[in-house]
């Protein structure tokens, strides 16, 4: 469902069908973000439900909100922090440090073949090696496609700090070519491969790791971001 298909004017007027369409459009992304913070299905679902209650409660001002997606993520983030604090009070001086273990994994689409899943296994392991804050920023900018400014506003950090986290992530992910130091047996186990399948696709472990990072990591970041990180 495209965002343009959701009639915000009808939602503002209290149309329940428009509200249901709004929920269907935003619920999946909001749930995944909440789960990445809270790590519990029931808690994430509860927080997302609370967000939509806030939307319905304040629906009359939706028409005046320029960035509804950013607004939703801000409500979700605040409620998730409050949940982590086990406190019903939603503070305004929220700290980025309070999300101590933000996690996420790249998920293959239904159309992807086994080789796509193999690549994602290694990329996810590399992403898991990043510090929590860098994973958090990487997720919001590259998965949820929020701008640097939107992420900075959401997490109460500077745009420069957002940029620094992404630069660090880029350098760290490239260093993770050290996966090539892992034995072929361990690498196969990490990717769910048997040795026969491994050698069918690749001549050696270096071939696998370099191919994954050369074809996939470069797609995640823009050319300008690579240059800013010191890669030419």
């Amino acid at each position: 469902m495209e965002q343009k298909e959701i009639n915000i004017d009808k939602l503002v007027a209290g149309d329940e069908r428009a509200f249901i369409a709004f929920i269907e459009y935003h619920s999946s992304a909001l749930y995944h973000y909440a789960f990445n913070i809270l790590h519990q299905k029931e808690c994430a679902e509860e927080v997302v439900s609370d967000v939509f209650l806030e939307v319905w409660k304040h629906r009359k001002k939706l028409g005046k909100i320029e960035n509804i997606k950013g607004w939703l993520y801000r409500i979700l983030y605040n409620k998730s922090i409050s949940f982590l604090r086990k406190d019903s009070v939603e503070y305004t001086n929220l700290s980025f440090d309070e999300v101590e273990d933000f996690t996420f994994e790249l998920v293959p689409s239904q159309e992807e073949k086994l080789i796509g899943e193999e690549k994602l296994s290694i990329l996810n392991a590399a992403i898991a090696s990043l510090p929590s804050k860098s994973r958090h920023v990487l997720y919001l900018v590259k998965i949820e496609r929020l701008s640097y400014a939107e992420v900075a506003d959401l997490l109460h950090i500077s745009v420069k700090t957002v940029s620094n986290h992404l630069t660090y992530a880029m350098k760290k992910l490239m260093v993770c070519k050290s996966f090539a130091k892992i034995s072929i047996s361990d690498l196969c186990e990490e990717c769910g491969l048997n040795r026969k399948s491994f050698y069918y696709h690749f001549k050696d472990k270096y071939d696998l790791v370099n191919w994954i990072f050369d074809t996939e990591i470069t797609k995640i970041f823009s050319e300008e971001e690579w240059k800013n990180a010191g890669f030419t």
Side-chain angles (χ1 to χ4, degrees):
M1 180 184 295
E2 297 293 334
Q3 175 71 70
K4 64 183 180 181
E5 294 178 8
I6 301 173
N7 193 317
I8 296 298
D9 290 336
K10 288 186 176 181
L11 175 53
V12 170
D15 188 299
E16 292 186 3
R17 288 186 178 181
F19 183 48
I20 292 173
F22 185 91
I23 291 174
E24 291 176 345
Y25 182 81
H26 291 287
S27 59
S28 179
L30 292 176
Y31 168 78
H32 283 103
Y33 184 42
F35 184 84
N36 292 341
I37 295 174
L38 300 172
H39 310 299
Q40 295 184 45
K41 179 177 182 292
E42 294 78 11
C43 297
E45 290 174 344
E46 181 179 336
V47 167
V48 172
S49 294
D50 287 346
V51 170
F52 288 123
L53 286 176
E54 288 291 318
V55 171
W56 184 252
K57 180 180 178 181
H58 299 287
R59 63 187 181 278
K60 292 186 178 180
K61 74 175 185 179
L62 288 178
K64 300 178 182 179
I65 298 174
E66 294 183 4
N67 183 357
I68 290 179
K69 181 177 180 179
W71 179 69
L72 289 172
Y73 273 74
R74 190 176 304 110
I75 296 174
L76 180 72
Y77 179 71
N78 292 353
K79 288 185 176 295
S80 295
I81 294 293
S82 294
F83 203 100
L84 288 175
R85 291 175 173 175
K86 294 181 172 56
D87 196 331
S88 61
V89 178
E90 290 168 28
Y91 297 85
T92 56
N93 58 335
L94 299 172
S95 171
F96 187 27
D97 296 328
E98 293 183 70
V99 183
E100 297 179 351
D101 185 25
F102 185 92
T103 60
F104 77 94
E105 290 189 349
L106 300 174
V107 179
S109 65
Q110 293 295 325
E111 294 78 18
E112 285 187 291
K113 298 180 180 179
L114 175 61
I115 191 63
E117 295 180 356
E118 293 163 5
K119 289 190 294 182
L120 286 175
S121 294
I122 290 184
L123 286 177
N124 282 327
I127 289 170
S129 74
L130 296 172
S132 177
K133 291 180 181 179
S134 295
R135 288 197 300 268
H136 200 156
V137 170
L138 179 67
Y139 179 84
L140 290 173
V141 175
K142 295 304 176 180
I143 305 301
E144 293 305 324
R145 300 296 181 182
L146 298 182
S147 70
Y148 284 29
E150 288 170 336
V151 174
D153 182 59
L154 173 63
L155 301 179
H156 304 284
I157 56 179
S158 67
V159 172
K160 178 63 175 175
T161 299
V162 172
S163 179
N164 288 343
H165 277 296
L166 282 178
T167 297
Y168 179 84
M170 294 166 74
K171 292 180 177 180
K172 180 71 173 178
L173 288 173
M174 293 308 292
V175 169
C176 277
K177 283 191 175 183
S178 61
F179 270 102
K181 298 178 182 179
I182 302 175
S183 69
I184 290 179
S185 296
D186 289 342
L187 196 55
C188 287
E189 182 178 353
E190 179 71 32
C191 300
L193 285 169
N194 57 47
R195 293 177 75 91
K196 182 177 180 180
S197 178
F198 179 91
Y199 284 113
Y200 176 80
H201 292 295
F202 309 101
K203 62 181 181 181
D204 55 35
K205 59 186 178 182
Y206 298 95
D207 185 32
L208 167 64
V209 174
N210 286 328
W211 176 67
I212 289 173
F213 279 83
D214 289 344
T215 59
E216 296 301 314
I217 289 294
T218 52
K219 295 177 184 177
I220 297 177
F221 303 100
S222 68
E223 182 177 349
E224 182 179 355
E225 286 170 332
W226 281 113
K227 288 181 179 178
N228 290 339
F231 295 96
T232 57

